[in-house]
């Protein structure tokens, strides 16, 4: 007699694959819109935009729009254009972020600002941003326009807030949460909300999807900020310690600083102010983060927001779309392990 | 008996004053919107935006929206928010332009990128751009949104086109006109068109105002490009020869190069490529522009577009608003004298 192994219903490692498969056909339509609408008579525009858009991103935000529309059994096709608009807004902010941070590497490839220069990145970002609004206007929903124009203003506000917090070790956890709520979570929330708008569901459903996206976005960014101290180019597609060297005061640093000895707090201050940038300094920082449980607790905070995201969907939809959206959260918070 | 002097109806020097006076009360309302809507909980945003917005600009584009609305006897107040949106779009492009060009001086004051750095200028530009769309969404006209989102995309396209033409002496007059038509005239045209949209006039009126604004914008930019070779900080608020040193191939250069001897053409190529940047080189360039009538003919081209702007208004409105719009064109083309 042979022992039978009963496979677990859930894979032990959560994955984005169910969501990717759920929306694959829709995403083909979105990609067609993206490709068609990043064209221009000025050749540098599709060249530069294509570098980033074709550059291996997960299309997380448009995927959320599509998956939420599926959750609500939306039968139409309006969300393809709008998901493309969401991706254009995201791409525009990435182009501008890389200029702002002077980044050289994203998703394992050289950034557009390194290849084509800052001026081109700024202007092509502006173009994509305008194109996003043209796509929304073609769709014609003022509620979608309101949602995404507001999200865009909040994102820019969050980026400026982050800029003024940079190199300031005294940044509080509250301010950090404000920053990531604006720069990351606002677009996640809007990407989900617009699915409810096109599906013409009531405000409670809209708000539930907004909350799912917002909490997922916060969890996502918390994990990103933890990974930044663990990544190498292979796992993250950007250099480990970028935030450390840029003096970005993320939650791991806030916790390690708060919990540190006087000497450790001095180290963190000097590091954030740009006086501790060697590999040995980064290794020391990583050690302090481990000692103070700062990474573990950052990931714990991420799980908290992840759970809130999942709970926000209580009573909204069911079936494979629901399962995929839940597993996307589990994937987001499990990435760092 | 004493000789009586009959004053001319028209002042010999055309002025913007009639238009400024025509819209003064409306502009107060626009300024209130601008001031209220550039606020943010992130203090750097109003600080930086205010530097440029309060920095002595003529508010030419919102003024056109207001004057065109007056021309059409529009009785409402919707255009105040929309004129503010137009100014926000313009301000966002100025902030980004100054980053792209590395400018240090605008309207006689240090530029925001010099005071607060490029990152802040990029991000506050993004914020104002998003705010512009929020204002339009509040107004709720999809036709206005379509007009201004399209204009914004065209502006960004024109800026990228200009960037790729930079330092290329072989740029044709046609391409130059494409560039200024996009980067400058598109917003002038849109600013005028939206007045017809809010006044709910037919498409022929919309198109007439669009044509007025577009031709005025081209004339305006042609004169700006001529003045760049004559200005000093006192007259233009920026350094003379900025375009020369930046290798911007404007119409004066295109004409002087086309009409020059082999040696002169070599000089222009070297200058645009960045190898002739001294004051003596600039003086030599100015001499060549005079010899070849390049400035005079650039201004002649400006008068051509100015005349087209005036003719576009034939049959549209009358009275002081019409007179002010006509004199604004005469002012725009007379500025260089």
């Amino acid at each position: 007699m042979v022992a039978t192994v009963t496979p677990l219903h859930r894979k032990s490692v959560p994955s984005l694959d169910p969501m990717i498969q759920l929306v694959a056909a829709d995403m083909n339509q979105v990609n067609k819109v993206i490709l068609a609408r990043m064209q221009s008579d000025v050749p540098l525009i599709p060249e530069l935009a294509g570098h980033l858009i074709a550059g291996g991103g997960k299309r997380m935000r448009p995927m959320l729009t599509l998956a939420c529309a599926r959750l609500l059994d939306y039968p139409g096709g309006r969300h393809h254009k709008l998901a493309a608009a969401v991706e254009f807004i995201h791409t525009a902010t990435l182009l501008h972020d890389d200029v702002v941070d002077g980044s050289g590497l994203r998703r394992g490839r050289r950034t557009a600002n390194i290849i084509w220069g800052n001026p081109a990145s700024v202007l092509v970002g502006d173009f994509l941003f305008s194109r996003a609004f043209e796509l929304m206007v073609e769709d014609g929903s003022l509620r979608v326009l309101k949602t995404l124009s507001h999200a865009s203003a909040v994102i820019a506000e969050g980026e400026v807030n982050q800029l003024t917090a940079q190199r300031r070790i005294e940044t509080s956890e509250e301010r950090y949460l404000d920053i990531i709520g604006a720069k990351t979570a606002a677009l996640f929330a809007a990407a989900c909300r617009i699915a409810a708008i096109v599906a013409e569901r009531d405000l409670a459903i809209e708000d539930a999807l907004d909350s799912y996206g917002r909490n997922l976005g916060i969890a996502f960014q918390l994990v990103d900020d933890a990974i930044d101290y663990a990544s190498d180019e292979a796992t993250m597609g950007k250099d480990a310690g970028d935030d450390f060297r840029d003096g970005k005061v993320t939650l791991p640093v806030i916790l390690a600083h708060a919990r540190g000895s006087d000497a450790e707090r001095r180290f963190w201050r000097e590091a954030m102010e740009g006086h501790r940038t060697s590999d040995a300094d980064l290794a020391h920082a990583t050690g302090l983060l481990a000692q103070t449980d700062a990474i573990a607790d950052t990931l714990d905070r991420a799980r908290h927001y992840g759970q809130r995201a999942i709970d926000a969907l209580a009573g909204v939809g069911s079936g494979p779309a629901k399962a995929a959206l839940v597993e996307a959260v589990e994937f987001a918070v499990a990435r760092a392990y």
Side-chain angles (χ1 to χ4, degrees), chain A:
Chain A
M1 194 175 159
V2 185
T4 49
V5 178
T6 309
L8 290 169
H9 173 66
R10 161 83 71 231
K11 294 184 299 298
S12 57
V13 180
S15 160
L16 265 187
D17 289 346
M19 188 148 86
I20 292 169
Q21 281 157 27
L22 179 80
V23 304
D26 286 319
M27 190 60 87
N28 273 336
Q29 299 303 312
V30 175
N31 285 334
K32 278 182 194 162
V33 177
I34 287 174
L35 205 69
R37 303 308 289 274
M38 69 185 212
Q39 296 310 313
S40 162
D41 290 340
V42 182
L44 178 55
I45 290 177
E47 196 182 337
L48 192 156
H51 173 77
L52 192 53
I53 288 174
K58 293 183 294 296
R59 302 250 202 285
M60 190 70 190
R61 293 151 191 83
M63 194 150 59
L64 287 170
T65 304
L66 300 177
C68 287
R70 184 63 69 96
L71 180 73
L72 303 179
D73 294 320
Y74 169 63
R78 280 175 55 196
H79 57 329
H80 298 147
K81 243 181 206 177
L82 297 176
V86 167
E87 184 68 2
F88 277 173
I89 291 172
H90 176 57
T91 307
T93 65
L94 291 188
L95 284 171
H96 288 184
D97 279 0
D98 285 341
V99 169
V100 164
D101 291 341
S103 309
L105 210 58
R106 180 179 288 277
R107 299 172 188 159
R109 307 174 73 198
R110 290 198 304 153
T111 52
N113 50 307
I114 296 296
I115 301 175
W116 290 281
N118 285 339
S121 286
V122 170
L123 298 174
V124 174
D126 290 351
F127 173 79
L128 290 175
F129 199 59
S130 303
R131 262 296 145 84
F133 278 91
E134 285 192 276
L135 284 165
M136 289 181 249
V137 170
E138 286 172 26
D139 173 68
S141 162
L142 280 166
R143 302 216 51 228
V144 168
L145 276 156
K146 182 179 177 182
T147 301
L148 283 170
S149 62
H150 183 63
S152 299
V154 168
I155 291 167
E157 246 174 340
E159 302 272 4
V160 178
N161 198 4
Q162 174 172 264
L163 191 67
T164 55
Q166 205 165 354
R167 305 212 170 280
R168 302 173 77 92
I169 188 64
E170 60 276 17
T171 304
S172 67
E173 177 165 352
E174 293 310 315
R175 183 169 182 191
Y176 166 80
L177 285 171
D178 281 349
I179 290 170
I180 69 172
K183 75 164 190 167
T184 305
L187 192 56
F188 274 71
C192 295
R193 179 185 287 276
I194 62 174
I197 297 174
V198 297
E200 298 179 358
R201 303 296 288 265
D202 63 31
L203 195 59
I205 301 288
E206 261 187 46
D207 288 344
L209 292 189
D210 183 292
S211 177
Y212 166 83
R214 190 172 307 276
N215 283 294
L216 171 58
I218 293 172
F220 191 89
Q221 187 64 55
L222 282 163
V223 173
D224 257 16
D225 290 346
I227 290 178
D228 197 78
Y229 283 90
S231 75
D232 54 35
E233 199 190 312
T235 60
M236 183 81 169
K238 61 178 193 172
D239 296 323
D242 273 356
D243 290 346
F244 180 74
R245 294 196 170 90
D246 289 347
K248 291 218 176 125
V249 184
T250 56
L251 187 58
V253 172
I254 293 170
L255 295 178
H257 175 260
R259 297 167 179 181
S261 67
D262 284 353
E264 288 166 11
R265 291 161 74 97
R266 199 158 49 243
F267 168 81
W268 284 114
R269 174 175 297 276
E270 290 169 358
M272 290 299 103
E273 289 174 354
H275 310 303
R276 294 280 178 269
T277 60
S278 71
D279 287 350
D281 290 321
L282 178 58
H284 182 59
T286 308
L288 294 179
L289 293 170
Q291 271 174 44
T292 56
D293 289 329
I295 294 292
D297 286 352
T298 295
L299 296 173
D300 210 51
R301 302 278 211 282
R303 278 187 294 273
H304 160 87
Y305 288 102
Q307 191 57 54
R308 285 170 61 171
I310 291 169
D311 288 333
L313 291 187
V316 184
S318 60
K322 177 75 163 268
L325 284 161
V326 169
E327 192 171 342
V329 176
E330 293 166 348
F331 165 78
V333 299
R335 281 179 304 148
Y337 298 5

